[in-house]
């Protein structure tokens, strides 16, 4: 008896001695990560060369400003005030004195160098772990000087990916409808801009109504609805050449166009005799295929990223709801069952979520749900908002809002807004004019 | 048409009469006022500062002394700057824990008899928050004086601590520090699989000798980028918090710690 | 209970019930809409004397009301008299919906009117249909009354 107890004690004692104390850390702060973006260092000769070509005094500082703005806008990073930086850019790029940087509370540091090489812009940048005192990432690449803003976006993408584990979304563009004028007679033009609002360009003149543009996955083509000659039809536009053509030869209104994930087809709605169904057209052989065949309104189709499924909006149950079907139109399943009307379903590039617009008790919501309809989560509420579009990494949603008008019918405005999938960082996207119907391109660089 | 109007009118009138006769709230009833009771407001202190018998007073002093020692020895000094709003709650929690510790660590029987002899009001006085807070601030000075006396108690504590690990207040203090230093990466797919465990080896002054991410190999596996990001954020938190505010005694206990970083409570869903 | 009390109570009850009936809602006509369908004359134009050019709809609905059918019958009669005339039916929706669905809804409303005209002998090649969804509201207000004026199908002379 005593012996048995003794043996148990002996066995237990060593175990007790080796037991390391465990402490559960279950909380932290959700503040943006403090990051120091040092201006890219540049030698005098390169600086002068670029100044001549690009009319910018210090292209190194300009590029880092693009990076800094991107990081701040993402809501995940807090770029620190440059005035507090102790190390000069050229020294910092070689070997940062980490104590200097941690003194100003930076946890991560970006440094780099820009040089003029063979008429081109060569950039190298490094990402440093200030607290760990080591380099996390280093990259170099060359491009034409006029692409200097894209250089900033690409650097941001790499930094973002290293620090969040996800691909970035900064080297992208947004296509949207720029609008002006009276609410009863809006002038609408197709417009395209960098994701940070720069390099805005108009693609149409505003002579006819244009709506709901979408990028092709290769980013060179755009599809949209135009009321050219008072005939509402889906068109294709080549951004590089400016060439436009009608998609197919339909005897009635076609609308709500999108590209398939491989860019080979256009999927859209075709309305005839009061019924709207979903059709596809192959861009190569021009073969038209009917996907839905139901007396209800079927519209706003969206492919899953693997091209196997389509989610769409239908009122076959009596009211607007969201459905999912195989890409050949079979196996239609309803997935929205909450209170209210659901519309504009868009499949996330990650494949796991569908974003949508919801109207309930007079309020509009942007939300997401899993592809089987479960886990509905509403992200934001407003008097009027709709049509979310995903960033290519499936992390941010861009949509648009319209305002109420006063008793005289004045004060109407439409603006683009964006929100992070986590519900944070809801903010307006600045545009020169009023704007609606935004669509996010895929990454320009691959 | 006319007949219908007459019938409708008649029925409506009937309804009005019925309701008029039977509605209770329209009848007036006299209001019954409860009789006025006179109340005298007095200060609690007037009633509670009862002078005690000399013997009881001595015992009370002794217990007070013991409380003082326990508090100064067990409560690690806090770096007030790093206090998050949550941490401010600690002084109150400490009082509860000190009560418990007092019960556990000392000879239970002895304490019980002493406690029994103290009146209700005196007990309250012992655990006055402001008193203890004041004691904490002076703790550093106290430690030097009371060292000898504390040794015995410390050794007892060591044995017990091997079972209990860090005391609750020590653990809370450590947690509060790391909470303040950890920038949680938003948007990661937080689930049971996305937890990071880090082993720390500490010097007596709280600086870190070594960090080790348990399951280190996972960091570089393909498809585990989120684990890597979370692990790096945890490492940054630990490094940012250096030197950790550690208990002044019992280095053997906490020279090796394992921190389990789990963001689900804050972010799941 | 004495007489004065009963009379007082009766008076109070009558007043209360009058107040209640005044608060009645729903399908009552509030002057310009009936059952959510606009019945007023603001924004209404005339194709010919006595022939209104448009019909209105309830929210999310494409069904024709009795008043709408009355208007369309008059339009059909006028079209039969003027057999050389063709029309375009413009379908519209209010702003309280998603843009693409509203395009489809407008098309359906216009076709609703077209089908009715056809039952009165107007050939379908005299009637073309176009939907403007919510793009061309006639009333820029943000009130239910404004919205009811925008839910319409308008017949426009095409030649």
């Amino acid at each position: 008896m005593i012996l048995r107890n003794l043996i148990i004690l002996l066995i237990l004692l060593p175990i007790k001695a080796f037991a390391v104390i465990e402490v559960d850390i279950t909380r932290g702060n959700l503040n943006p990560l403090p990051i120091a973006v040092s201006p890219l260092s540049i030698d005098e000769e390169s600086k002068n060369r670029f100044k001549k070509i690009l009319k910018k005094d210090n292209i190194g500082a300009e590029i880092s400003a693009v990076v800094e703005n991107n990081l701040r806008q993402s809501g995940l990073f807090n770029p620190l005030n440059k005035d507090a930086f102790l190390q000069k850019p050229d020294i910092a790029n070689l070997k940062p004195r980490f104590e200097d940087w941690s003194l100003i509370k930076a946890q991560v540091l970006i440094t780099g160098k820009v040089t003029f090489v063979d008429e081109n812009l060569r950039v190298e940048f490094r990402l440093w772990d200030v607290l760990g005192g080591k380099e996390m990432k280093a990259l170099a690449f060359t491009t034409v000087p006029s692409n200097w803003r894209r250089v900033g976006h690409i650097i941001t993408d790499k930094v973002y990916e290293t620090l969040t584990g996800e691909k970035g979304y900064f080297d992208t563009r947004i296509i949207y409808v720029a609008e002006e004028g009276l609410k009863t007679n809006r002038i609408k033009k197709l417009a395209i801009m960098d994701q940070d609002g720069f390099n805005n360009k108009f693609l149409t003149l505003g002579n006819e109504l244009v709506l709901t543009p979408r990028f092709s996955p290769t980013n060179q083509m755009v599809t949209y609805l135009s009321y050219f000659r008072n005939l509402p039809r889906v068109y294709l536009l080549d951004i590089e050449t400016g060439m436009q053509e009608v998609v197919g030869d339909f005897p009635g209104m076609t609308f709500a166009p999108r590209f398939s994930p491989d860019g080979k087809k256009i999927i859209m709605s075709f309305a005839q005799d009061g019924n709207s169904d979903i059709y596809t057209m192959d861009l190569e052989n021009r073969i038209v295929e009917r996907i839905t065949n139901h007396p209800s309104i079927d519209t706003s189709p969206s492919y899953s990223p693997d091209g196997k499924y389509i989610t769409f909006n239908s009122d076959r149950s009596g009211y607007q709801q969201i459905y999912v079907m195989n890409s050949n139109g079979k196996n239609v399943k309803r997935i929205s069952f909450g209170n209210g009307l659901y519309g504009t379903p868009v499949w996330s590039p990650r494949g796991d979520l569908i974003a949508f617009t919801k109207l309930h008790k007079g309020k509009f919501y942007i939300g997401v749900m899993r592809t089987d309809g479960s886990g509905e989560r509403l992200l934001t509420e407003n008097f009027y908002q709709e049509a979310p579009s995903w960033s290519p990494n499936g992390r941010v949603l861009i949509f648009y809002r319209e305002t109420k008008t006063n008793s005289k019918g004045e004060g109407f405005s439409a603006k683009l807004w964006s929100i992070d999938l986590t519900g944070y960082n809801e903010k307006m996207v600045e545009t020169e004019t009023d704007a609606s119907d935004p669509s996010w391109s895929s990454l320009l660089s691959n | 048409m006319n007949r219908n109007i007459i019938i409708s009118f008649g029925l409506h009138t009937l309804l009005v009469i019925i309701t008029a006769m039977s509605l209770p709230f329209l009848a007036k009833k006299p209001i019954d006022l409860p009789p006025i009771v006179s109340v005298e407001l007095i200060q609690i202190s007037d009633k509670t500062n009862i002078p005690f018998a000399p013997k009881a007073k001595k015992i009370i002093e002794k217990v007070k002394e013991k409380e003082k020692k326990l508090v100064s020895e067990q409560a690690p000094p806090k770096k007030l700057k790093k206090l998050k709003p949550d941490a401010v709650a600690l002084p109150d929690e400490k009082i509860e824990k000190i009560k418990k510790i007092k019960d556990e660590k000392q000879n239970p029987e002895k304490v019980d008899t002493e406690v029994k002899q103290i009146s209700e009001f005196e007990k309250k006085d012992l655990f006055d928050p402001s008193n203890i807070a004041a004691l904490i601030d002076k703790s550093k000075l106290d430690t030097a004086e009371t060292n000898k006396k504390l040794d015995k108690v410390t050794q007892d504590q060591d044995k017990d601590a091997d079972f209990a690990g860090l005391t609750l207040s020590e653990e809370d203090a450590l947690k509060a520090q790391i909470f303040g230093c950890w920038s949680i990466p938003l948007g990661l797919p937080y689930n049971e699989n996305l937890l990071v465990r880090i082993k720390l080896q500490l010097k007596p002054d709280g600086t870190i000798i070594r960090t080790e991410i348990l399951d280190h190999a996972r960091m570089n596996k393909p498809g585990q980028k989120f684990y890597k990001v979370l692990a790096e954020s945890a490492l940054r938190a630990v490094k940012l918090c250096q030197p950790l505010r550690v208990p002044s005694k019992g280095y053997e206990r906490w020279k090796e710690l394992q921190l389990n970083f789990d963001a689900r409570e804050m972010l799941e869903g | 209970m004495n007489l004065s009390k009963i009379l007082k109570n009766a008076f109070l009850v009558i007043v209360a019930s009058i107040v209640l009936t005044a608060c009645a809602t729903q399908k009552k006509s509030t002057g310009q809409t009936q059952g959510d369908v606009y019945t007023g004359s603001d924004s209404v134009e005339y194709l010919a004397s006595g022939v209104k050019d448009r019909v209105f709809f309830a929210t999310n609905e494409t069904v024709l009301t009795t008043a709408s059918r009355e208007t369309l019958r008059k339009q059909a009669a006028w079209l039969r008299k003027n057999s050389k005339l063709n029309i375009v039916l413009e379908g519209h929706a209010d702003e309280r919906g998603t843009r693409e669905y509203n395009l489809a809804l407008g098309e359906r409303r216009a076709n609703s009117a077209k089908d009715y005209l056809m039952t009165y002998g107007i050939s379908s090649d005299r009637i073309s249909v176009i939907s403007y969804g919510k793009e061309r509201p006639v009333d820029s207000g943000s009130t239910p009354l404004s919205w009811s004026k925008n839910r319409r199908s308008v017949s426009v002379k095409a030649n």
Side-chain angles (χ1 to χ4, degrees):
Chain A
M1 177 67 171
I2 300 170
L3 188 64
R4 198 192 73 183
N5 287 345
L6 212 64
I7 293 172
I8 292 170
L9 247 161
L10 282 169
I11 295 170
L12 287 178
L13 261 172
I15 294 172
K16 211 169 62 155
F18 286 149
V20 173
I21 298 168
E22 289 188 31
V23 179
D24 290 324
I25 308 296
T26 53
R27 305 186 60 179
N29 67 70
L30 298 174
N31 300 331
L33 187 70
I35 185 169
V37 184
S38 166
L40 303 182
S41 76
I42 183 167
D43 60 87
E44 272 306 305
E45 211 217 296
S46 298
K47 202 200 272 196
N48 292 330
R49 294 286 214 129
F50 285 123
K51 184 167 176 179
K52 255 195 221 149
I53 305 172
L54 300 171
K55 312 281 184 277
K56 296 280 178 193
D57 283 340
N58 183 346
I59 201 67
E62 298 283 346
I63 294 176
S64 62
V66 170
V67 176
E68 199 180 312
N69 184 49
N70 280 340
L71 291 173
R72 184 178 297 115
Q73 291 292 323
S74 73
L76 302 179
F77 302 97
N78 176 21
L80 300 168
N81 190 352
K82 279 194 276 296
D83 295 337
F85 291 2
L86 294 170
Q87 268 197 309
K88 285 230 166 67
D90 45 349
I91 303 170
N93 190 38
L94 294 171
K95 176 70 180 172
R97 222 178 12 247
F98 296 111
E99 316 80 60
D100 282 358
W101 296 100
S102 67
L103 201 67
I104 56 168
K105 301 277 184 267
Q107 294 192 24
V108 192
L109 165 69
I110 298 177
T111 65
K113 192 165 92 166
V114 179
T115 27
F116 185 86
V117 175
D118 290 334
E119 310 298 318
N120 277 335
L121 189 152
R122 183 179 183 280
V123 69
E124 67 174 65
F125 79 92
R126 289 168 212 275
L127 178 67
W128 306 88
D129 176 351
V130 172
L131 292 166
K134 57 176 166 60
E135 184 186 280
M136 290 175 87
K137 191 113 191 142
L139 277 176
F141 51 96
T142 310
T143 181
V144 292
S146 54
N147 266 348
W148 67 270
R149 290 202 74 91
R150 282 195 59 193
V151 168
H153 296 315
I154 292 170
I155 293 176
T156 318
D157 279 332
K158 302 296 178 200
V159 166
Y160 183 94
E161 190 173 349
T162 310
L163 294 174
T164 66
E166 306 176 44
K167 281 192 114 46
Y169 57 88
F170 300 95
D171 190 26
T172 55
R173 282 186 294 196
I174 292 174
I175 190 165
Y176 65 98
V177 171
E179 36 175 287
E180 316 173 271
L182 291 173
K183 189 175 172 188
T184 48
N185 196 16
R186 290 294 259 184
I187 308 291
K188 293 193 171 184
K189 301 177 196 167
L190 283 186
I192 190 171
M193 63 181 182
D194 291 351
Q195 137 297 122
D196 63 355
F198 284 80
N199 290 334
N200 192 66
K201 259 199 317 244
F202 295 109
L203 299 175
T204 65
L205 298 170
N207 295 323
E208 61 275 337
L209 196 57
V210 286
L211 302 171
T212 65
R214 290 285 190 280
F215 271 109
S216 78
T218 58
N219 296 318
Q220 192 183 331
M221 306 285 282
V222 163
T223 184
Y224 62 101
L225 167 61
S226 169
Y227 277 68
F228 183 59
R229 293 207 182 123
N230 247 350
L231 289 171
R233 297 288 189 278
V234 168
Y235 282 77
L236 261 184
L237 166 67
D238 188 320
I239 300 178
E240 317 269 306
T241 65
M243 296 265 292
Q244 291 187 53
E245 58 164 307
V246 168
V247 172
D249 186 22
F250 289 84
M253 174 171 83
T254 49
F255 59 107
R258 292 98 164 91
F259 281 91
S260 61
D262 60 10
K264 296 197 178 143
K265 290 198 202 149
I266 301 259
I267 188 169
M268 62 199 141
S269 286
F270 165 50
Q272 194 175 45
D273 298 332
N275 178 28
S276 294
D277 277 317
I278 292 172
Y279 287 71
T280 60
M281 189 184 93
D282 190 304
L283 289 173
E284 239 165 277
N285 54 35
R286 305 280 145 167
I287 293 180
V288 172
E289 203 185 314
R290 183 177 195 156
I291 308 292
T292 67
N293 192 345
H294 196 282
S296 63
I297 291 175
D298 298 328
T299 185
S300 301
S302 172
Y303 275 98
S304 61
D306 61 8
K308 291 199 189 140
Y309 301 98
I310 296 172
T311 179
F312 66 103
N313 194 202
S314 173
D315 65 1
R316 54 186 68 189
S317 72
Y319 292 99
Q320 275 181 281
Q321 297 292 338
I322 297 175
Y323 292 77
V324 172
M325 60 184 172
N326 297 350
S327 50
N328 60 6
K330 294 206 172 33
N331 201 15
V332 176
K333 261 192 307 221
R334 177 174 159 179
I335 65 168
S336 62
F337 289 97
N339 293 320
L341 305 174
Y342 291 78
T344 75
V346 258
W347 213 300
S348 161
R350 294 185 194 174
D352 59 345
L353 292 175
I354 291 176
F356 57 85
T357 305
K358 175 166 164 170
L359 171 57
H360 182 49
K361 294 214 172 121
K363 295 200 180 84
F364 281 81
Y365 300 85
I366 303 289
V368 292
M369 60 172 71
R370 281 185 227 115
T371 55
D372 62 0
S374 65
E376 180 178 318
R377 192 158 58 92
L378 299 179
L379 301 176
T380 169
E381 175 203 306
N382 197 253
F383 166 75
Y384 181 91
Q385 60 190 2
E386 66 148 316
S389 170
W390 292 94
S391 63
N393 67 352
R395 177 70 195 248
V396 183
L397 285 167
I398 190 169
F399 54 97
Y400 76 95
R401 285 187 172 161
E402 289 176 357
T403 55
K404 258 194 200 182
T405 52
N406 60 22
S407 53
K408 292 201 201 122
E410 298 160 346
F412 178 74
S413 81
K415 282 293 182 194
L416 303 184
W417 282 72
S418 70
I419 191 167
D420 192 276
L421 180 60
T422 55
Y424 287 90
N425 204 25
E426 180 182 314
K427 60 181 171 66
M428 189 170 86
V429 178
E430 291 288 345
T431 48
E432 289 173 30
T433 61
D434 273 6
S436 58
D437 290 347
S439 173
W440 218 311
S441 77
S442 40
L443 280 172
L444 298 176
S445 51
N446 277 323
Chain B
M1 186 64 175
N2 279 333
R3 225 192 78 181
N4 291 340
I5 294 176
I6 293 169
I7 293 174
S8 165
F9 184 72
L11 286 171
H12 274 91
T13 320
L14 190 66
L15 201 68
V16 169
I17 293 168
I18 292 172
T19 40
M21 303 261 283
S22 58
L23 278 176
F25 66 84
L26 293 174
K28 272 196 191 152
K29 281 203 203 112
I31 301 168
D32 281 310
L33 286 172
I36 297 172
V37 176
S38 61
V39 174
E40 193 185 302
L41 294 171
I42 55 169
Q43 292 287 358
I44 304 248
S45 52
D46 293 347
K47 284 282 172 208
T48 59
N49 269 341
I50 306 166
F52 288 98
K55 189 179 176 197
K57 198 164 186 203
K58 256 196 228 154
I59 293 163
I60 291 160
E61 303 286 11
K62 251 197 247 166
V63 175
K64 257 196 181 156
E65 268 296 299
K66 286 221 167 71
E67 291 316 302
K68 221 171 154 181
K69 276 187 235 158
L70 277 166
V71 162
S72 64
E73 181 242 312
Q74 286 177 5
K78 292 190 309 239
K79 209 158 83 170
L80 288 168
K81 260 181 281 167
K82 281 225 175 101
L83 277 177
K84 286 173 73 205
D86 297 336
V88 172
L90 281 176
D92 289 327
E93 287 172 62
K94 273 211 182 82
I95 295 154
E96 309 306 319
K97 273 134 203 170
I98 287 161
K99 261 201 218 157
K100 282 191 218 145
I101 291 160
K102 174 189 151 214
D103 293 340
E104 286 166 35
K105 303 299 181 200
Q106 288 196 318
N107 185 331
E109 289 161 308
K110 203 173 173 199
V111 169
D112 269 342
T113 48
E114 284 176 342
V115 166
K116 273 188 206 136
Q117 288 180 23
I118 299 168
S119 76
E120 279 292 311
F121 303 114
E122 267 308 321
K123 237 198 243 168
K124 229 190 271 173
D125 201 27
L126 279 174
F127 294 118
D128 182 358
S130 52
N131 273 351
I132 289 179
L135 290 169
I136 291 170
D137 287 344
K138 283 188 269 168
S139 63
K140 273 197 170 143
L141 303 166
D142 287 334
T143 337
E145 291 161 22
T146 51
N147 251 342
K148 281 189 209 151
K149 291 180 198 157
L150 290 172
D151 273 348
K152 269 199 208 152
V153 188
T154 318
Q155 276 166 12
D156 283 341
Q157 276 197 313
D158 264 345
K159 270 202 222 132
D160 294 328
D162 270 351
F163 270 123
L166 291 171
T167 63
L168 277 170
S169 55
E170 288 169 337
E171 189 173 322
D172 278 342
L174 186 64
K175 277 189 189 177
Q177 293 171 62
I178 310 280
F179 288 176
C181 296
W182 189 27
S183 271
I184 302 182
L186 276 175
L188 297 187
Y190 286 104
N191 53 34
E192 328 67 65
N193 278 334
L194 207 57
L195 312 172
V196 171
R197 291 177 310 221
I198 297 185
K199 243 202 209 155
L200 299 178
Q201 271 177 20
L202 300 169
K203 280 202 216 148
D205 64 354
T207 51
I208 297 169
I209 306 170
R210 210 172 87 94
T211 58
E212 182 196 331
I213 300 174
L214 300 176
D215 204 6
H216 189 275
R218 192 176 161 193
M219 290 262 279
N220 294 314
K221 279 206 196 118
Q224 292 295 334
K225 51 191 175 163
F226 294 126
Y227 181 78
K228 182 169 182 204
V229 167
L230 187 65
E232 282 172 353
S233 80
L235 278 176
R236 277 198 298 269
V238 164
K239 289 187 185 139
L240 193 63
C241 260
Q242 276 195 97
L244 288 165
R245 285 292 185 170
V246 287
S248 46
K249 286 287 157 195
Y251 178 60
E252 287 303 307
R253 280 184 294 134
W254 48 258
K255 65 178 183 187
E256 231 184 54
L257 286 177
Q258 180 176 312
L259 301 178
N260 301 331
F261 286 83
D262 180 358
R264 282 176 301 164
E265 190 183 295
M266 284 199 85
L267 291 180
E268 198 160 36
Chain C
M1 267 191 138
N2 60 30
L3 185 65
S4 69
K5 275 221 181 96
I6 293 174
L7 284 173
K8 212 197 276 184
N9 289 350
F11 174 69
L12 282 169
V13 170
I14 292 170
V15 168
S17 35
I18 289 171
V19 168
L20 275 172
T21 52
C23 293
T25 50
Q26 7 85 31
K27 296 280 178 178
K28 290 281 173 263
S29 152
T30 52
Q32 301 224 54
T33 60
Q34 189 158 344
D36 198 35
V37 178
Y38 185 64
T39 51
S41 54
D42 189 26
S43 81
V44 175
E45 290 174 17
Y46 289 82
L47 296 165
S49 164
V51 182
K52 292 193 198 153
D53 73 336
R54 60 193 64 198
V55 294
F56 298 96
F57 300 87
T59 306
N60 268 329
E61 292 296 325
T62 57
V63 162
L64 296 168
T65 60
T66 324
S68 301
R69 278 182 236 152
E70 173 82 24
T71 303
L72 288 170
R73 275 198 296 273
K74 294 207 181 114
Q75 285 191 12
W78 170 77
L79 279 169
R80 274 200 303 275
K81 251 192 278 175
N82 302 281
S83 52
K84 291 264 170 47
L85 276 179
N86 295 332
I87 55 164
V88 176
L89 286 174
E90 293 179 356
H92 299 261
D94 65 29
E95 60 181 2
R96 299 308 279 169
T98 57
R99 198 188 296 281
E100 289 167 341
Y101 183 79
N102 276 342
L103 287 169
L105 197 59
E107 199 263 356
R108 196 186 256 177
R109 284 176 176 155
N111 270 292
S112 209
K114 175 179 177 179
D115 288 345
Y116 196 75
L117 288 173
M118 283 167 65
T119 63
Y120 277 82
I122 310 300
S123 150
S124 74
D125 30 272
R126 291 178 67 189
I127 310 170
S128 55
V129 157
I130 185 172
S131 167
Y132 285 103
K134 67 182 201 113
E135 308 302 315
R136 292 282 179 261
V138 75
D139 187 319
S140 58
S142 298
T143 65
L145 183 62
S146 308
W147 298 329
S148 71
K149 290 186 208 170
N150 292 330
R151 294 189 292 270
R152 66 202 194 278
S153 170
V154 184
S155 305
V156 179
K157 285 186 227 177
N159 58 355

